[in-house]
Amino acid sequence: MMRTVGWVIAALLAVAVPAYLFTPGNPPVANFDEGHYDIVPADAVSGCAGNLALPVGASVGDTDTISSGSDDVRFSAFVSDAGAPASIGVATATDAVAATTIERVGSGDLAGLGAFSCSEPQTETWLLGGSTALGESSRLVLANPSPTPTNVEITVYGPAGPIDPPITRALAAESSDSLLLEGIAPDLGSMAVHVAADAGGVVAAIQDSRLDGFLPVGTDWVHPSDPPATSMVVPGIGPSDPEGIDGPAVVRLFSPEGGFISMRLVSTAGEVLLAGVGGVTLEPGEVIEVDLPASAVGTLLVEATSPTLAAVRSSVGREPDEGLEGDVARDFAWVNGQSAESTRSVAVTTHYSVTVAAYATADTTMRVFRWGTDELLMERVLAEGETIEAPLRVDAGTPVMVEGDVVWVLRVADEPGYVTTVEPIDPDDEARPVTVRPGPYVP
Amino acid sequence: MSPRKAYVRAIVVTRGRPEYLARTIEAITYQGRQPDAWHIVAVGADEPDREQLGIPEALDVELTGVKARTFGQAVSAVLESVEPEEHEWLWLLHDDSAPLPDALGELLAIPRKRRRAGVVGPAQVRWDHVQRAVNVGVTVSAVSGRRVSYSDLDDLDQGQHHTREDSLAVGLAGAIVKRSLWDKLDGTDPAYGRYGDSADFCRRAWRTGADVVLAPKARVRHAQAAMYGRSDPADTDSDHRSTYARRRAAEWYHGFAWAPAWAVPLLAVWMLVASLSRAVLRVASSDLRMVSAELRAPIVLAASMPRLAASRKRVARATGEAGVVERSLLASGIDVMRHMRARELGSYEQWQARNAPKDVQRRELSELATRRWWAFGATMLAAAAFAGLLFGTWLAPLFRGDMIAGTATGSTAVSWADMWQRTWTGWADAGLGAPALDGTWAALMLPFAALPGGLAVSIGVLLTASPLLAAASAWAAIGSLSRNLAARALGALAWASAPTLVQSVSDGRIGAVLVHLLLPLLALAMVRAVAVQARDQLDGGEVFPATRPGSPTAAAAAAFLMACVTVAAPVLLVPLALATVVVTIAARGFRRFAAAVAVPSLVLHGAALAYTWTHRGEPGWWRLLVRESGPALPSDPAANWQLLLGIAQQPPDWPGLVAAGDTALTYLPGLALLAAAFVALASGRSPVPVRIGWAIAGMGLTVAIVSHHTVALQPTVDGVAGANGWPGAGLSVMMLGFLVAVIAALRPAPKPQVGLTTRTIALREARPPSPVPAVATMLIAVALLGHLVASAWPGRPFGGDMHPADPQVLPLVAALDLATDPKTRALVLNRDEDGAIAFSVLTRDGSTAMLGYGHLDSRGRVQQPDRYDNGSIAVLDQRAAVLAGGGEGALEALRRWGIGVVVVPADDTATVDQLSRVPGLVVMAASDRGFTWRVVGSTEDTDARVTRARVEDPELGTDWLPVDSASGRVAVGPGSAFRTVVLAVPPSDSWVARFNGEELESRSERGQLVYRITQSTGLLVVEYHDSAYRRWWWAGVAALAWIALSAIPLHDRRFRRERP
């Protein structure tokens, strides 16, 4: 009897135990949900590039001789809301969300227009522009407007790739610094600069000043670019005039990982044929420049197999104040490529002649508002792929916001042939998702 | 004196023990010299019945019944009715003191040569063994009256006492006393009761000038029936300890009666101290009965104090010229020491002598020992190599000053002072602070923290060497199950390489590691306590040692180990306690030992058990029984069959194997062990231990499954993410059970004992030795070796995230801000790999789980549940998100909770970028360890400090209060009448604030504690004091002290009784 009971129990166990053991078991996740929040970042202090400076000091001569400096310098700063930029050394800082500085140098080596859209410090900045070839100077300005000190690592890329080793700089809180890249990486006709900063980041800019002998051939600020992307739109370029006084517009391309890049040029008059330069192959870290064919003001569309940066330098020629017959002085403007999904939407206008150069990425209505108000300043219906250039007649210092599926830039020009661009910025007032959870801190 | 003239009056006092009396009467009638008169005094009977007392009719004896409390009173009662004769001697006899033939003659021979002899005492010998002495005269110590015998207990009479004559005292049972002396001294002092009256009487006799002489050749069998509580000679199970308290009290009474008056108070103090310390010693020798006897002695003595004045007068009356002689006979300190040594250690030495191996055995045992040491050495070498290959890379950083840390442990560099603070105050200071259920984990870690190098080194070494330690403890434990060296070595290595141990070490689950290391020792102690350990088998079929006394010391060690194990893994408390109950029921003869094992653990977990009991039936009422006190981590889901195979978490891939190979290597050891245990069960060998092993394994698997499926730790703001229980402790128990089953089945059959019938021997010889155990051992060895080699394959990651790290976790400025007044807290924002921000509020340099988690307060109230239940704490994670997102509005909450520092690791530039834009945060420093911001005290006063405790004055502003984690005191100057003290801690009744000694009324304001000060100036004291916690704490300390003392291996009387 007992034996039978024993067998029955054993048989039951033989069935029940495996059945139980093979039941999938899930431990209870401790009842803690991650916290998901949307946080609007506080407005950070923006940094501006400051004044243009002669790369190697002014040589002052009498009226008969050539003078590198100029006594015809007009510097203006326009802000969207708060006070004017304050000096933090060679650069300036402002609490305003959007601000533009513009400087007109009427004579000397730096003759021309240079504008800069003040921006928030970033921990990673790409600057595509500048040259350290003979007669050409690239002055890197680093501004740390934040209350946190930061360490900066600068890597210069040239036609043959990165220049080793990277340069490091420490920046105190609310301070700035400048250095001449020709001292570090000379003889680079085309270059890209990567600035990595810890802590609160920095605002970086390059003052690209060029001479042709004694003739000034342009000065402009190279504005921080969007991060590399496989699709870039460069609006507001040209006019390109390779055979004429203005000279060709030049596109500079850089791809950290290398790859094949194809380009299309769309002017206000329609698509321009890029004979022979429609596609190029880049080695990783290589920076190249390609002259663009003659065209009206337009937009360059860049498609690449890997994330790429593109920027275009467009120049305008003029007769020099001094010089020989046939000499041409020039000024140029750098325009960065923007990704098609760019959220840059705000810029502050300046005096001189301001036009909006835009490219429609889709069929859209482009509306220009006075930023922060409903005041419509301009409205245009655009078809996909259409590029326009339209004068913007508003007071200097007007913060404008552009709505619509467009990539745009403000072109500023003045007599006798000075040009520059004001790049829009992202006002960054949107909430960002942040996920938090308790977690121990173990090194 | 002429013997012819001596008149001997024999007086036998009986307490109604006819069995003894009959023999005594018989012995007297056999005397060559018969007493001249003979009285039998029956105490307590008015009209004694001769027949009932067994007195032969023919005997010419006068039978009297008296009401007397003492022997002396009974004698005096007889003497009152008879006139003294010339040269009358009283022969005083108890009913259990039977004189040997010619005893009276030998006694009477003494006074012939010693004319001053007043008392002549015989050598008292054992009732059942006349060659063994019971009393050949005693003396007392000069101060405390301690009785010191001239002979050792059960001294074999080899004539060594025959030269002894003078004795401070002799036993009056069987002695002759001069009648005149008896009358002069008014008999014995009734204040002594049954014990110590002889010594007092004899000492007084010396005082009056009479000699007290021993007659060694006169022997009296003395059963000491009263002392042993026996009623007849056949009763051998009686115990003299029942009368210990009274005897001890009588000794002290002697001291009090004879001491100079000025010394009596000092003696009283001395007696209390001595009694208490002797009680402690008795605890150490695990003799509970004697503890109470030692503590009862002063009470018994106090009860006799009213009679002390009369006794002292009696002593004072006894005057004569022989005081010097009396003093010279008192025992010196050395005598007392020698006597105590002989008494306390004698029994152990006797046991040792009886159990010493014979010469033939000795050689065999020595060979066994040599083989055992070699096997042990080889096993340890293999385990050390395994440990070195797995965790050896930790050693160099460890001795360089780094710590071994991981997500589960947090920083292991915790000072012993922090540990002490945590266990003593019951306030868990981590995060925003919380009352704690108990401080057992911190107490367990305290010894590690107190070791040289501190907790970081000792925990690091413990983890690194854990396979080696596990092998050693398993080796020791398996030795109690099997003396087979191969089984011991294989078992030890299997235990050392258990996947659950390796996983626990690499995850930093210190509790599970400790359980794995201590569990075999607990089993060993338990086995020895109930005397079922395996013994060496010798060639002759004998076993050594021949006897197995159960061990209260081992039981105490088991209790201590079980306390450690249950503190390390509270989930084991209930199963182990139930197991103890089963052992208690099963272990006949050792139930007392087994039953005591669980007691300290139950006391230590008293608060948790009380909570569980009072909340029984409510949802989650059992959760404190499955909590984890120390380092914990959530673990990945595991199916029950994986747990059965000993795998709680998938180990990292094995080198150079495809998926199928990975699976095979992962589960092979568990599968092999399970299969072996099945075979063991089916084989029918050693059925009882094998089934016990299976029962243990079943219990372990159940524990593992239960812990895996329950929440062991709730998330809190100090960076605890919450966790389910780790099945490791249960898996260790399960593996132990399977090993017990397998190794028990591998035990060789007992060798035939000499003396077995020829048939049995023939049967044994007829059966050929089975090859199964050998083959099974080989297979297990191969599987184990493969597992060991694969586990320790160079370069193979062992999983987990324990790694060497700098013990300085936070940037120096932040750590200083936390450690110095005004004390503040730090919020650390640390970006995870998936981009989420892990936040923790720190009060010390780095998160740590080594202090133990608070869970609940000691009354079981939930103080810090998940964040959604408590508004004030819920605020924090939202604030952390705001900060990490660079938003505004987070700082007010931080200030209120005393979070004055925000730290972000240096490599998280994105978060640093966001924090840089937050107004109100000022960068203090940037270093490799991270960026540190100070939270500005207020928008108006940027110099104001953020602190954990502050005095807020609406007129004078806020001032900080110096506090440590659980208390603070400060002199407060004049201020407005609306001042408040704010403690940035979650409200708890146990926080008390006193201003000039007056308790301030507390209130909860926005989730914090606020007190209002109304007086102008004074001393403000704040303190956390949880009385219930403190009561459990002291109970735990008492329980631990008790078992710690008991676990000291002091040898004792238990060696007298032993079991084969």
Side-chain angles (χ1 to χ4, degrees):
Chain A
M1 175 63 189
M2 287 303 289
R3 215 175 161 76
T4 319
V5 171
W7 278 114
V8 169
I9 291 173
L12 282 176
L13 283 177
V15 175
V17 170
Y20 178 66
L21 287 177
F22 285 90
T23 312
N26 276 312
V29 178
N31 57 350
F32 181 80
D33 304 321
E34 290 175 337
H36 297 282
Y37 298 95
D38 289 319
I39 306 296
V40 180
D43 292 331
V45 181
S46 294
C48 314
N51 291 72
L52 294 168
L54 276 171
V56 286
S59 64
V60 181
D62 56 33
T63 50
D64 296 334
T65 55
I66 297 163
S67 171
S68 62
S70 172
D71 47 12
D72 178 15
V73 176
R74 277 178 274 167
F75 179 90
S76 310
F78 302 98
V79 294
S80 61
D81 42 2
S87 170
I88 51 167
V90 295
T92 56
T94 175
D95 289 336
V97 177
T100 304
T101 61
I102 187 162
E103 189 169 8
R104 185 185 189 281
V105 181
S107 59
D109 287 358
L110 303 178
L113 268 181
F116 188 83
S117 290
C118 301
S119 42
E120 290 187 356
Q122 290 173 334
T123 51
E124 185 166 347
T125 307
W126 283 102
L127 295 164
L128 192 60
S131 166
T132 57
L134 188 64
E136 302 177 349
S137 168
S138 292
R139 172 174 164 260
L140 179 68
V141 174
L142 300 168
N144 177 19
S146 75
T148 312
T150 180
N151 292 301
V152 184
E153 185 180 278
I154 303 148
T155 313
V156 179
Y157 293 81
I163 311 294
D164 285 329
I167 308 141
T168 53
R169 278 280 192 283
L171 281 183
E174 295 171 2
S175 73
S176 58
D177 197 4
S178 69
L179 73 158
L180 294 172
L181 294 178
E182 50 267 38
I184 302 154
D187 293 327
L188 299 180
S190 57
M191 62 196 291
V193 177
H194 179 247
V195 178
D198 61 13
V202 290
V203 179
I206 293 175
Q207 178 197 327
D208 185 350
S209 321
R210 304 186 177 202
L211 286 175
D212 178 9
F214 294 105
L215 288 175
V217 287
T219 290
D220 201 15
W221 286 108
V222 178
H223 196 268
S225 166
D226 279 354
T230 52
S231 175
M232 281 269 176
V233 179
V234 194
I237 61 174
S240 183
D241 183 16
E243 308 300 325
I245 188 173
D246 292 339
V250 178
V251 59
R252 185 176 287 188
L253 298 166
F254 168 72
S255 172
E257 297 162 27
F260 181 76
I261 296 165
S262 61
M263 293 179 285
R264 282 166 59 218
L265 180 60
V266 185
S267 79
T268 46
E271 183 154 351
V272 180
L273 189 67
L274 286 175
V277 295
V280 289
T281 302
L282 279 183
E283 294 298 315
E286 182 189 15
V287 187
I288 63 161
E289 281 192 348
V290 177
D291 286 2
L292 292 177
S295 73
V297 172
T299 301
L300 185 72
L301 306 174
V302 179
E303 296 290 330
T305 52
S306 72
T308 300
L309 290 176
V312 174
R313 176 166 52 85
S314 314
S315 52
V316 174
R318 66 175 188 276
E319 208 168 293
D321 299 338
E322 295 141 354
L324 304 172
E325 180 82 26
D327 282 350
V328 178
R330 291 196 176 109
D331 188 21
F332 61 82
W334 276 108
V335 185
N336 279 315
Q338 301 174 29
S339 69
E341 294 80 33
S342 174
T343 51
R344 298 190 191 193
S345 58
V346 172
V348 181
T349 61
T350 64
H351 35 224
Y352 314 116
S353 160
V354 180
T355 55
V356 181
Y359 171 80
T361 56
D363 291 344
T364 185
T365 303
M366 182 182 82
R367 293 190 181 87
V368 180
F369 293 97
R370 183 185 292 274
W371 185 44
T373 70
D374 294 336
E375 186 186 346
L376 187 62
L377 304 174
M378 183 196 286
E379 186 172 31
R380 286 288 181 90
V381 177
L382 300 175
E384 181 181 350
E386 190 179 349
T387 186
I388 60 153
E389 188 186 24
L392 186 62
R393 295 195 175 79
V394 293
D395 293 339
T398 305
V400 295
M401 188 180 71
V402 176
E403 274 185 11
D405 296 325
V406 291
V407 176
W408 61 283
V409 70
L410 293 181
R411 287 166 58 88
V412 182
D414 192 27
E415 292 304 324
Y418 292 173
V419 289
T420 188
T421 51
V422 176
E423 296 205 358
I425 57 151
D426 183 357
D428 198 18
D429 54 0
E430 295 211 344
R432 292 179 190 166
V434 178
T435 304
V436 287
R437 65 167 84 105
Y441 182 49
V442 183
Chain B
M1 189 188 75
S2 154
R4 285 190 304 277
K5 289 181 184 169
Y7 181 89
V8 177
R9 188 185 299 282
I11 303 174
V12 181
V13 180
T14 177
R15 291 182 181 274
R17 288 178 289 226
E19 294 292 331
Y20 285 114
L21 183 62
R23 311 238 177 132
T24 304
I25 291 170
E26 192 182 3
I28 295 171
T29 56
Y30 277 109
Q31 294 295 313
R33 165 71 160 91
Q34 282 292 314
D36 300 299
W38 195 355
H39 303 263
I40 293 180
V41 190
V43 177
D46 283 338
E47 287 178 12
D49 181 355
R50 276 180 88 110
E51 200 174 332
Q52 198 178 3
L53 287 171
I55 302 167
E57 286 296 323
L59 200 63
D60 177 19
V61 59
E62 190 178 323
L63 181 62
T64 330
V66 296
K67 294 267 185 214
R69 210 167 57 80
T70 67
F71 177 72
Q73 283 175 328
V75 172
S76 296
V78 171
L79 295 183
E80 273 172 17
S81 58
V82 288
E83 286 302 314
E85 304 286 336
E86 195 180 351
H87 302 302
E88 181 177 342
W89 286 82
L90 305 174
W91 193 23
L92 306 177
L93 289 155
H94 295 183
D95 55 5
D96 63 344
S97 53
L100 266 63
D102 276 344
L104 184 55
E106 294 286 354
L107 288 170
L108 288 170
I110 298 291
R112 281 186 220 139
K113 51 183 180 183
R114 291 285 293 265
R115 300 182 61 84
R116 289 162 66 105
V119 182
V120 182
Q124 294 179 351
V125 294
R126 260 167 65 171
W127 183 270
D128 53 351
H129 199 316
V130 294
Q131 292 301 319
R132 296 215 177 260
V134 168
N135 182 350
V136 286
V138 294
T139 178
V140 296
S141 67
V143 179
S144 62
R146 193 186 167 89
R147 187 174 185 277
V148 176
S149 172
Y150 287 128
S151 67
D152 293 341
L153 191 70
D154 290 345
D155 215 358
L156 192 62
D157 181 11
Q158 295 167 314
Q160 72 269 43
H161 301 297
H162 285 192
T163 53
R164 184 178 296 285
E165 285 193 358
D166 286 353
S167 171
L168 182 82
V170 293
L172 286 184
I176 54 170
V177 179
K178 212 183 250 181
R179 165 94 189 244
S180 56
L181 181 66
W182 182 273
D183 291 339
K184 182 178 178 186
L185 294 178
D186 194 16
T188 58
D189 186 346
Y192 283 91
R194 293 186 188 178
Y195 308 102
D197 51 353
S198 300
D200 176 75
F201 181 82
C202 293
R203 202 172 163 186
R204 279 190 289 132
W206 277 111
R207 271 279 183 96
T208 54
D211 288 1
V212 178
V213 187
L214 183 78
K217 289 179 187 165
R219 288 185 294 172
V220 172
R221 295 196 299 160
H222 191 195
Q224 296 178 297
M227 187 164 96
Y228 283 98
R230 291 173 187 150
S231 57
D232 72 72
D235 177 11
T236 56
D237 198 29
S238 51
D239 193 343
H240 69 290
R241 290 182 302 160
S242 58
T243 56
Y244 177 84
R246 274 180 287 161
R247 284 183 285 130
R248 189 82 187 109
E251 288 177 6
W252 281 108
Y253 189 82
H254 185 106
F256 277 82
W258 287 79
W262 58 265
V264 170
L266 297 178
L267 206 56
V269 175
W270 171 237
M271 179 210 54
L272 283 175
V273 171
S275 292
L276 284 176
S277 25
R278 286 180 66 86
V280 170
L281 274 176
R282 297 292 187 181
V283 172
S285 57
S286 307
D287 198 345
L288 296 195
R289 209 167 145 193
M290 291 305 279
V291 176
S292 84
E294 293 286 2
L295 295 177
R296 235 176 28 242
I299 300 167
V300 174
L301 179 64
S304 59
M305 276 299 130
R307 292 192 282 272
L308 183 63
S311 296
R312 290 183 63 85
K313 266 185 205 152
R314 210 180 262 263
V315 171
R317 275 205 301 275
T319 51
E321 68 266 34
V324 179
V325 182
E326 171 233 329
R327 270 195 294 280
S328 70
L329 288 169
L330 290 174
S332 67
I334 292 171
D335 293 337
V336 176
M337 290 295 291
R338 194 174 47 82
H339 171 75
M340 282 169 67
R341 190 182 169 281
R343 284 202 62 97
E344 302 297 336
L345 298 181
S347 50
Y348 172 62
E349 281 163 3
Q350 282 174 14
W351 177 85
Q352 241 186 350
R354 270 202 304 281
N355 287 281
K358 295 169 214 149
D359 287 344
V360 192
Q361 296 175 331
R362 200 163 296 187
R363 184 183 164 79
E364 213 176 325
L365 284 172
S366 133
E367 281 167 6
L368 278 180
T370 312
R371 282 214 297 278
R372 192 161 56 232
W373 279 112
W374 276 108
F376 177 71
T379 310
M380 289 306 110
L381 205 62
F386 181 70
L389 284 171
L390 270 186
F391 307 118
T393 49
W394 288 351
L395 280 177
L398 206 53
F399 290 104
R400 201 169 53 217
D402 282 2
M403 61 180 179
I404 307 298
T407 311
T409 57
S411 165
T412 52
V414 182
S415 72
W416 69 268
D418 285 348
M419 286 289 173
W420 170 252
Q421 179 109 2
R422 168 66 178 79
T423 184
W424 170 244
T425 61
W427 179 253
D429 193 38
L432 303 181
L437 176 71
D438 59 27
T440 50
W441 176 266
L444 180 66
M445 290 295 112
L446 196 56
F448 289 100
L451 285 174
L455 189 71
V457 170
S458 46
I459 287 294
V461 170
L462 176 84
L463 292 179
T464 310
S466 55
L468 178 62
L469 299 174
S473 86
W475 174 275
I478 297 169
S480 71
L481 184 66
S482 164
R483 307 302 288 176
N484 181 338
L485 294 179
R488 282 178 94 169
L490 288 179
L493 288 178
W495 190 254
S497 64
T500 171
L501 174 69
V502 176
Q503 189 68 47
S504 298
V505 171
S506 49
D507 276 348
R509 301 175 187 271
I510 313 277
V513 174
L514 284 175
V515 167
H516 197 81
L517 299 186
L518 297 181
L519 213 48
L521 298 179
L522 171 59
L524 169 66
M526 204 67 192
V527 160
R528 293 193 78 97
V530 299
V532 291
Q533 73 267 29
R535 288 173 289 178
D536 281 326
Q537 289 224 351
L538 305 181
D539 277 344
E542 297 160 293
V543 286
F544 184 84
T547 57
R548 287 183 291 191
S551 166
T553 301
F560 184 78
L561 290 165
M562 182 167 157
C564 293
V565 164
T566 55
V567 166
V571 69
L572 289 181
L573 175 67
V574 172
L576 286 184
L578 291 178
T580 325
V581 171
V582 174
V583 173
T584 307
I585 293 168
R588 285 185 60 198
F590 303 100
R591 286 187 177 144
R592 218 158 38 83
F593 298 164
V597 168
V599 174
S601 305
L602 295 173
V603 173
L604 284 176
H605 290 276
L609 291 172
Y611 169 88
T612 308
W613 178 251
T614 50
H615 290 72
R616 64 189 183 281
E618 293 175 14
W621 57 276
W622 39 264
R623 63 186 172 145
L624 284 187
L625 298 180
V626 297
R627 73 195 190 280
E628 289 201 25
S629 300
L633 272 185
S635 57
D636 296 337
N640 296 335
W641 65 268
Q642 288 173 307
L643 296 180
L644 175 66
L645 298 180
I647 302 294
Q649 185 138 340
Q650 195 73 25
D653 287 348
W654 305 84
L657 282 183
V658 293
D662 269 339
T663 311
L665 264 186
T666 302
Y667 297 111
L668 187 66
L671 205 58
L673 186 61
L674 184 65
F678 261 117
V679 172
L681 189 64
S683 74
R685 296 163 66 99
S686 308
V688 175
V690 170
R691 281 173 206 165
I692 290 175
W694 269 90
I696 295 172
M699 182 177 88
L701 182 62
T702 312
V703 170
I705 292 175
V706 167
S707 25
H708 188 55
H709 289 90
T710 48
V711 175
L713 197 61
Q714 303 284 336
T716 51
V717 296
D718 53 333
V720 179
N724 61 319
W726 173 240
L731 294 187
S732 294
V733 174
M734 183 186 76
M735 186 175 176
L736 180 81
F738 283 145
L739 278 179
V740 166
V742 173
I743 289 168
L746 282 178
R747 282 206 290 220
K751 291 179 185 169
Q753 297 250 347
V754 178
L756 283 182
T757 62
T758 45
R759 187 168 161 269
T760 322
I761 294 170
L763 276 177
R764 289 246 165 89
E765 283 171 349
R767 204 163 61 186
S770 161
V772 173
V775 173
T777 312
M778 281 297 291
L779 284 178
I780 292 171
V782 169
L784 185 62
L785 201 68
H787 177 67
L788 278 174
V789 170
S791 296
W793 195 265
R796 176 182 176 258
F798 46 78
D801 73 341
M802 289 297 277
H803 61 280
D806 189 339
Q808 313 286 328
V809 178
L810 294 181
L812 189 61
V813 278
L816 282 175
D817 246 36
L818 299 193
T820 54
D821 281 322
K823 287 208 179 66
T824 178
R825 296 188 175 103
L827 174 67
V828 181
L829 303 175
N830 184 22
R831 195 174 289 273
D832 282 353
E833 285 162 3
D834 57 2
I837 300 289
F839 72 96
S840 51
V841 177
L842 302 185
T843 50
R844 57 182 306 288
D845 189 7
S847 302
T848 188
M850 302 307 291
L851 290 162
Y853 293 119
H855 293 285
L856 300 169
D857 78 357
S858 59
R859 296 180 186 86
R861 289 175 302 204
V862 183
Q863 293 290 340
Q864 196 171 294
D866 64 54
R867 60 195 177 142
Y868 302 109
D869 289 346
N870 187 329
S872 59
I873 292 164
V875 161
L876 270 178
D877 82 321
Q878 191 261 341
R879 296 302 188 271
V882 169
L883 278 182
E888 290 180 79
L891 298 188
E892 180 51 31
L894 264 55
R895 289 188 193 108
R896 281 206 320 113
W897 283 103
I899 300 170
V901 174
V902 180
V903 176
V904 175
D907 55 0
D908 183 8
T909 50
T911 308
V912 172
D913 184 18
Q914 297 299 339
L915 284 184
S916 298
R917 63 175 71 212
V918 177
L921 285 184
V922 178
V923 169
M924 294 167 81
S927 74
D928 291 349
R929 291 194 207 133
F931 278 78
T932 311
W933 286 267
R934 186 163 75 81
V935 178
V936 171
S938 74
T939 40
E940 299 85 39
D941 177 11
T942 51
D943 287 335
R945 304 296 297 268
V946 175
T947 73
R948 293 164 55 176
R950 52 195 183 266
V951 179
E952 290 182 351
D953 188 329
E955 290 165 18
L956 297 176
T958 301
D959 200 4
W960 55 271
L961 206 63
V963 286
D964 60 18
S965 61
S967 64
R969 66 170 50 221
V970 66
V972 177
S976 82
F978 299 100
R979 280 181 301 175
T980 50
V981 179
V982 181
L983 296 182
V985 295
S988 160
D989 294 347
S990 302
W991 276 100
V992 178
R994 289 192 182 81
F995 197 73
N996 290 335
E998 190 181 315
E999 197 168 319
L1000 300 178
E1001 198 178 326
S1002 74
R1003 64 174 194 274
S1004 167
E1005 205 172 282
R1006 293 206 288 166
Q1008 295 188 341
L1009 262 182
V1010 176
Y1011 302 92
R1012 191 171 147 202
I1013 306 177
T1014 47
Q1015 296 178 43
S1016 173
T1017 57
L1019 182 69
L1020 173 69
V1021 179
V1022 291
E1023 191 190 9
Y1024 178 80
H1025 183 91
D1026 182 346
S1027 52
Y1029 176 94
R1030 199 52 62 80
R1031 279 197 294 277
W1032 283 117
W1033 195 87
W1034 279 115
V1037 167
L1040 281 181
W1042 184 279
I1043 55 174
L1045 275 174
S1046 307
I1048 298 171
L1050 275 191
H1051 310 296
D1052 194 45
R1053 53 164 186 96
R1054 65 196 158 88
F1055 294 102
R1056 287 190 214 160
R1057 289 200 215 138
E1058 54 206 19
R1059 151 178 155 166

